[in-house]
Amino acid sequence: MKSRFPYPYSLLAILILFLLMVQARLWAPYWDTHSMQGILTWDAMGYYIYLPARFIYHDLGHMAFSADIMREYNPSSSFYQAFQVPGAPDGQLVAKYTCGLAFLWTPFFFIGHWAAEWLGYPQDGFSAPYQIAIAFGGLLFALLGLGIIRRLLLHYFSDIVTTLVLVLLVLGSNYFQYAVFDAAMAHNYLFTGYALLLWLTLQWHEQPTRLRAFLIGLTLGVLVLIRPSEAVAAVIPLLWGIGSVADGRAKLLMLRARWVDVGLLVIGGVLGVLPQPLYWHWATGHYIFYSYGDQHFSFFKPHLWEVLFSFRKGWLLYSPMLLLPLAGLVVLWRTHRSVAVPALAFFVLNLWVVSAWDIWWYGGSIGQRALVQSYAVLTLPWGAAMAWLLQPARRPSLRAIAVVVAVLLVDLNLFQHWQFMQSIINPDEMNRRYYFAIFNKTKPSQADYAMLDVKTHLPQAEHNYQPRSLAKLDFENLPLDEGKGISAEHGYNSRQSFHGDAAHPYSPELNIRLGEANLVPGSYVRASCRVFSDYGAWGNRLVMTVERDGKSIVWDAVRLQNNLSVAHGWSLVHFDAPLPPNALPNDRLRIYVLSDNASSCYIDDLQAEFMAPKADW
């Protein structure tokens, strides 16, 4: 008797993984926050803006409602998601991002709209019901994508291999971030689109029909409608089944014989992408319009090394598990060359396009988010690598090592996702120093956070130094002066402090002559201050500089806002830096707070200390 569930392990894996993803989403329910941590924020807001503009405010051309949304929900630092149409009357806007996701989100948008009315929330497109609907819509698309990939992998590999690939994909790569927490970004939906494209392509080549050809074209069109650079996906159906020159000739003859299918594929692609040129023509008068402003591709100067290995956003640094499918390309070439050719061609071409984008780090993310959608294609060599490892001819010790490495990489991936969600891993400005300072830490110190901004730290542990105060400014004895920012609103030990804001970008400073303080080249100086802010001292910096004849010879600064900062309370910020080797006795050490174009905050106990090494070491 045939089993109703012939491949139970991979099916059970998908169900368990989906439950884990839902649980993780519930662990971080940011849909009810009026902040930049919500679902419909930053770029996601740009993809989504079409829906409330069209169906709630009926103002797709001017988006005048955006000012109220920005003020109420604070979804991003500025409304960059749309901009003035060149040459059009003032106030005529065009959306920066294409409308593909808005089409996919339409049913979830209306579910959220209905729920907002039923639950008594504002029907403004951004209240909690809309955020929840979009968040769980993303999870459903993730489930669909994983289900399609399961069917694809089972066509070539065993149930065990398919199960392992699915588990390692979800738990061992940054796909997890974009299927769960940032599911309103394009990558999760594109992953599912690529999975569907692969499955339809396989089905057409095994049993070509006109409907399948049309659906292949439509899927390609929707991928481009979501992100125009996904046009690289066309190489998948184009090269599928070609493992040799003879295969290429046979494919060409087949396409000639089935020219109707080719025509339907083209029609499907045109229909899939058609909404965007129609919108552009309505908004700007042009069917083709470049909406990314001064952001461009540099195809002859791709940032390949940075994309793959940099500490800022290196793909293989933050998702080392992906080395396995890259190695699997070799195995796939030997075992299923007609599949390996399109997979390899797509990977190389896609990596080149992703690396050629001038903003190669792609904004806030963990690792390289622009490559997440390509994991659908990489599951094929991933499966080939797993099948190779599981062959009986492989040594048990090799498989044991592979299991240990896989477990460690999954652990690393999940822990770094936790660090990212806790704002320990910085979404945009990681570097080598800071990466190793916070590696495997749940509670980094102020000295660790300083590594985001300064290149130096104390050579030995802090307990090996004896701080000696050089100067301190507590603002207590300064006269109140709103013009100079001396305020009595908050104070750490007294009632007074310096109020840093747009009107007062520079705090009073500590100014010390090195010779008078007995400081010599190489001496480590600690700059510190207390900072108070309501919602974060974003953009404010504590500065330490050494100047000679009024010109800076060394300049260091550390941000006043980090993961240790306390909202509505006082936080201590400090960093350590050595005096330059060419420092002279008459050079001046200056320490102050810079609040230029930053949020409002209060500064107290500005201090300089010489970190004197203890004699016993």
Side-chain angles (χ1 to χ4, degrees), residues 37 55 92 95 121 244 266 270 347 377 409 415 429 476 483 551 565:
Q37 290 185 317
F55 295 111
Q92 179 67 37
Y121 282 84
S244 64
V266 172
V270 171
F347 174 74
V377 180
L409 291 181
F415 181 70
E429 301 176 81
E476 184 175 355
K551 296 181 180 180
S565 299

Side-chain angles (χ1 to χ4, degrees), residues 498-519:
F498 169 74
H499 184 198
D501 56 15
H504 311 100
Y506 294 94
S507 76
E509 66 176 35
L510 301 176
N511 194 316
I512 305 165
R513 182 174 170 271
L514 300 188
E516 294 176 354
N518 296 320
L519 296 173

Side-chain angles (χ1 to χ4, degrees), residues 13-22 24-25 135-150 153 163-196 314-316 318-322 325 365-379 382 409-410 412-414 416-417 420-421:
I14 282 185
L15 295 177
I16 293 175
L17 289 170
F18 180 68
L19 290 176
L20 288 174
M21 291 191 292
V22 170
R25 176 71 271 183
F136 281 91
L139 286 170
L140 290 176
F141 263 85
L143 177 63
L144 175 62
L146 293 174
I148 297 173
I149 285 297
R150 171 180 175 267
L153 292 175
T163 300
L164 291 174
V165 171
L166 291 171
V167 170
L168 294 180
L169 165 70
V170 175
L171 301 182
S173 76
N174 59 341
Y175 170 82
F176 186 78
Q177 179 70 30
Y178 294 95
V180 179
F181 303 116
D182 289 327
M185 296 294 287
H187 314 289
N188 173 42
Y189 296 86
L190 289 170
F191 176 93
T192 299
Y194 273 99
L196 181 60
W315 179 47
L316 296 177
Y318 289 95
S319 294
M321 183 70 77
L322 272 299
S365 65
I366 179 170
Q368 271 296 331
R369 63 182 175 91
L371 289 171
V372 168
Q373 53 265 35
S374 69
Y375 299 172
V377 180
L378 290 179
T379 57
W382 207 327
L409 291 181
V410 166
L412 173 66
N413 183 70
L414 294 178
Q416 289 193 333
H417 275 74
F420 181 77
M421 295 303 293

Side-chain angles (χ1 to χ4, degrees), residues 69-87:
I69 298 301
M70 294 296 294
R71 182 171 54 253
E72 177 67 20
Y73 294 97
N74 193 30
S76 56
S77 58
S78 65
F79 184 59
Y80 67 88
Q81 294 84 353
F83 60 93
Q84 172 70 37
V85 176

Side-chain angles (χ1 to χ4, degrees), residues 16-268:
I16 293 175
L17 289 170
F18 180 68
L19 290 176
L20 288 174
M21 291 191 292
V22 170
Q23 179 59 49
R25 176 71 271 183
L26 294 174
W27 170 65
Y30 293 137
W31 44 73
D32 203 19
T33 61
H34 287 48
S35 73
M36 299 175 189
Q37 290 185 317
I39 306 300
L40 299 172
T41 57
W42 300 102
D43 292 1
M45 178 186 178
Y47 289 110
Y48 173 79
I49 197 72
Y50 293 92
L51 293 171
R54 173 63 181 84
F55 295 111
I56 296 178
Y57 302 100
H58 309 290
D59 183 19
L60 190 57
H62 295 85
M63 302 188 194
F65 65 91
S66 62
D68 293 334
I69 298 301
M70 294 296 294
R71 182 171 54 253
E72 177 67 20
Y73 294 97
N74 193 30
S76 56
S77 58
S78 65
F79 184 59
Y80 67 88
Q81 294 84 353
F83 60 93
Q84 172 70 37
V85 176
D90 288 346
Q92 179 67 37
L93 303 184
V94 59
K96 177 178 180 178
Y97 300 100
T98 50
C99 60
L101 281 184
F103 275 90
L104 299 182
W105 279 334
T106 300
F108 307 114
F109 167 80
F110 281 110
I111 290 173
H113 193 65
W114 166 80
E117 181 181 25
W118 182 50
L119 297 172
Y121 282 84
Q123 288 185 297
D124 57 8
F126 289 85
S127 60
Y130 298 93
Q131 308 260 357
I132 295 172
I134 298 300
F136 281 91
L139 286 170
L140 290 176
F141 263 85
L143 177 63
L144 175 62
L146 293 174
I148 297 173
I149 285 297
R150 171 180 175 267
R151 294 288 301 274
L152 176 73
L153 292 175
L154 287 172
H155 187 84
Y156 296 100
F157 309 110
S158 68
D159 191 30
I160 295 297
V161 168
T162 299
T163 300
L164 291 174
V165 171
L166 291 171
V167 170
L168 294 180
L169 165 70
V170 175
L171 301 182
S173 76
N174 59 341
Y175 170 82
F176 186 78
Q177 179 70 30
Y178 294 95
V180 179
F181 303 116
D182 289 327
M185 296 294 287
H187 314 289
N188 173 42
Y189 296 86
L190 289 170
F191 176 93
T192 299
Y194 273 99
L196 181 60
L197 177 65
L198 288 163
W199 178 247
L200 290 171
T201 298
L202 170 64
Q203 292 294 299
W204 186 88
H205 281 79
E206 291 197 336
Q207 186 177 354
T209 66
R210 294 176 178 177
L211 176 61
R212 286 171 177 167
F214 175 79
L215 292 177
I216 289 173
L218 185 64
T219 303
L220 281 170
V222 172
L223 288 173
V224 174
L225 187 64
I226 296 175
R227 278 184 55 172
S229 60
E230 303 306 325
V232 297
V235 303
I236 296 174
L238 181 65
L239 298 180
W240 194 271
I242 299 177
S244 64
V245 174
D247 290 341
R249 292 173 181 155
K251 178 76 173 283
L252 184 59
L253 290 174
M254 182 184 185
L255 294 178
R256 286 178 178 175
R258 301 195 64 87
W259 62 269
V260 176
D261 289 31
V262 175
L264 288 171
L265 186 150
V266 172
I267 292 172

